[in-house]
Amino acid sequence: MSRRSAPCAAVALTLTLAACSSGTDPAKGGGTVEQTLTVLAAASLTEVFGLMAEDFEADHPGVSVEQSFAASSTIVQQVNEGAPADVIALAGMSSLEPLAEEHRVGEVHEFTTNSLQLAVPPDNPAGITGVEDLTQDGIRLVVCAEQVPCGTASASLFQAQGISPAIASLEYDVRATLTKVELGEADVGIVYRSDVTEAGDRVRGVEIPDDVNVVNSYPILAVSDSPLAQAFVEEVLSERGQQHLTDAGFVAP
Amino acid sequence: MPLLVPAWLGVAFIVLPLVALFIRADWANITTHLAAPVVGQALRLSAITTSITMVVVWAVGTPLAWLLARSDHPLTAWGRALITVPLVLPPVVGGVALLMTWGRRGVLGGWLDETFGITLPFTTAAVVMAEIFVALPFYVIAVEGSMRSLDRRYDEIAATLGAGPVRTFSTVALPMVLPGIAAGSALAWARALGEFGATITFAGNFPGRTQTAPLGVYSALESDPQAAIALSLVMLVVSVLVLGLLRSRWLR
């Protein structure tokens, strides 16, 4: 496959041709094998997929996992246009729809879910205790723009609650929304639960009850026929992988 | 001429993307796209904020340029260098710096909030501040350049005739540097109109309040690309018109 031969050729230039041809048996590993696995994943997976890659590299000597994190829609666009990738993991099942048929190599697995949470500064200056406080006068609420998944989810939360709170800013992604809360510029932001967990002490999370919360399922699949790709998907689905996700604030499907 | 090929490549590299905007626009429905709420609101906000920006830039930048041009103090060179920092600073860094200064927990913003209950981020005022931050240096540099090329003897003659510094400045220097002021104004205004990074960082993005035309383009690109193209076209045409008109009149 051409997208695998490019890194292979690069390796061949610096090492030996043998290193490349023996790379067809990744399961055995072996010190002389040099292989690269390219994973494209949603921005919200940045930290947790870093841990997955470390585990995977430890179990597969000679394999290096290269990861790139972006908005799910961008990832699908990149793969459709022929960007080299072995595995993709996205936020939201609907993000997968535009993926071209020829790239759907592996089976799609819903490997985790993420729900919304209110993020407030540690001292919670506006005294936010739940969704019902979002409509209070004078609070500064920051949400994602509706064009990104966290914004779509926030909009459906408002709709389900029958509220239309005053919004100070529509941020371009979930991390920008969180930053405005971390800096204390916003009294409350709507982000994913995993983002609140990842931010640690910098923000405090206020739960949204399950019956009104919006849950996003995350799909993962191999987009190349490399055996390593399938192995990485299995790593994410494994008990160890799921533990990392749980620790990061995600919820098993 | 061997120089013609690279020169024309340079022209093509700049002009082709501009032409592409015209080619890819949905001309049959252009009025519908221009009537999209995001377009009108963003253009109105941009018109208002860049106008206020220009008034502040004139009021502050003209005396500043004059002082820089006439001062012999050794620190003037440093002052000039500091003023020009926003020219090379990535705009998003400017936005972060503004947030650290004027944000609710910022160096000055914290005091403003506690004392007067004034908060600047997420307001139209924050948009204007971001625009001034990036546009003022363009104006000051252009105007200072033309003020420095003025012959000092005019000042001295005015002074011997009894004119004070303010009168000298307004009746002698100012009329002679009008071309420089026009040039500096055009550059500063165009920079304010195009400001994106500092605005989105410091002022956020909300239609009608902080979503200026560039933010509107970015926002519309995700949901309504044709509206984004229409808005881009308006900004392109206005920018070209302003630069073109000034060029024939003031810039040479």
Side-chain angles (χ1 to χ4, degrees):
Chain A
M1 299 235 71
S2 64
R3 56 175 172 271
R4 290 215 50 79
S5 63
C8 204
V11 169
L13 283 173
T14 50
L15 298 171
T16 64
L17 270 169
C20 248
S21 50
S22 67
T24 47
D25 190 7
K28 275 196 180 146
T32 57
V33 182
E34 280 287 339
Q35 277 191 305
T36 307
L37 178 77
T38 307
V39 177
L40 306 183
S44 44
L45 295 166
T46 307
E47 287 78 18
V48 71
F49 265 46
L51 300 174
M52 304 271 190
E54 277 174 32
D55 288 348
F56 193 76
E57 285 173 351
D59 284 2
H60 298 79
V63 173
S64 77
V65 179
E66 282 190 356
Q67 307 198 78
S68 167
F69 299 95
S72 300
S73 54
T74 311
I75 292 170
V76 169
Q77 226 168 6
Q78 287 170 342
V79 173
N80 279 345
E81 274 160 34
D86 297 308
V87 175
I88 60 171
L90 309 173
M93 296 300 288
S94 58
S95 312
L96 206 55
E97 278 162 25
L99 184 68
E101 202 52 53
E102 75 247 39
H103 298 297
R104 296 173 185 260
V105 177
E107 194 191 332
V108 176
H109 298 275
E110 283 184 50
F111 68 98
T112 197
T113 69
N114 212 350
S115 50
L116 293 177
Q117 201 170 42
L118 304 180
V120 298
D123 56 348
N124 196 2
I128 303 288
T129 57
V131 177
E132 61 281 0
D133 293 332
L134 297 180
T135 48
Q136 275 175 18
D137 276 348
I139 68 153
R140 296 168 151 236
L141 165 67
V142 185
V143 300
C144 299
E146 274 199 50
Q147 290 88 352
V148 290
C150 62
T152 320
S154 304
S156 21
L157 172 72
F158 295 154
Q159 205 174 9
Q161 289 287 287
I163 56 174
S164 46
I167 294 166
S169 182
L170 300 165
E171 298 290 325
Y172 283 114
D173 62 37
V174 67
R175 295 294 160 110
T177 305
L178 189 72
T179 302
K180 293 286 174 7
V181 177
E182 279 187 47
L183 291 174
E185 299 302 340
D187 297 316
V188 53
I190 303 181
V191 296
Y192 291 124
R193 208 163 155 267
S194 64
D195 295 302
V196 175
T197 308
E198 199 266 315
D201 296 338
R202 302 194 301 270
V203 299
R204 203 203 304 176
V206 175
E207 291 286 350
I208 300 172
D210 285 342
D211 54 329
V212 296
N213 208 329
V214 180
V215 178
N216 251 355
S217 280
Y218 281 53
I220 188 169
L221 76 154
V223 290
S224 82
D225 50 14
S226 155
L228 277 178
Q230 203 47 52
F232 187 83
V233 172
E234 275 152 29
E235 172 68 44
V236 172
L237 296 171
S238 75
E239 207 171 306
R240 178 170 65 173
Q242 291 294 309
Q243 188 58 47
H244 284 315
L245 285 159
T246 310
D247 293 345
F250 291 87
V251 176
Chain B
M1 268 295 280
L3 290 181
L4 275 179
V5 175
W8 278 106
L9 277 177
V11 171
F13 189 73
I14 301 290
V15 174
L16 221 55
L18 306 181
V19 175
L21 271 181
F22 281 88
I23 295 174
R24 294 290 303 271
D26 176 16
W27 289 101
N29 303 305
I30 192 81
T31 46
T32 322
H33 299 305
L34 283 174
V38 59
V39 174
Q41 268 182 331
L43 282 175
R44 197 173 313 118
L45 188 70
S46 270
I48 294 169
T49 54
T50 55
S51 302
I52 302 173
T53 295
M54 283 321 294
V55 171
V56 177
V57 163
W58 283 322
V60 176
T62 318
L64 179 56
W66 177 248
L67 286 182
L68 286 175
R70 281 293 175 261
S71 167
D72 296 323
H73 198 280
L75 285 180
T76 308
W78 284 102
R80 190 181 297 120
L82 274 179
I83 301 280
T84 46
V85 164
L87 290 182
V88 291
L89 204 64
V92 61
V93 176
V96 173
L98 285 168
L99 209 49
M100 294 305 122
T101 313
W102 300 103
R104 203 144 61 143
R105 306 211 169 149
V107 176
L108 294 173
W111 171 78
L112 272 183
D113 188 25
E114 277 163 35
T115 319
F116 304 104
I118 298 173
T119 53
L120 290 164
F122 310 129
T123 63
T124 307
V127 176
V128 173
M129 290 166 77
E131 288 179 353
I132 294 172
F133 186 81
V134 296
L136 185 62
F138 279 89
Y139 180 80
V140 171
I141 290 305
V143 176
E144 195 226 345
S146 68
M147 281 177 170
R148 234 178 336 155
S149 62
L150 273 186
D151 197 328
R152 275 198 187 208
R153 281 176 298 181
Y154 292 117
D155 297 18
E156 285 153 13
I157 293 165
T160 59
L161 295 171
V166 174
R167 179 127 188 246
T168 308
F169 170 74
S170 59
T171 60
V172 178
L174 208 51
M176 289 201 286
V177 295
L178 272 183
I181 287 182
S185 303
L187 288 175
W189 179 80
R191 181 64 189 87
L193 182 70
E195 166 41 44
F196 178 84
T199 309
I200 196 152
T201 312
F202 178 48
N205 172 55
F206 195 84
R209 190 174 345 119
T210 59
Q211 190 179 75
T212 55
L215 273 63
V217 170
Y218 192 74
S219 193
L221 207 49
E222 299 268 334
S223 53
D224 186 358
Q226 279 301 332
I229 293 175
L231 187 49
S232 303
L233 279 178
V234 174
M235 289 182 69
L236 177 63
V237 168
V238 170
S239 304
V240 170
L241 272 182
V242 166
L243 290 174
L245 286 176
L246 275 161
R247 193 151 292 269
S248 55
R249 179 82 177 83
W250 298 109
L251 314 169
R252 257 170 271 281

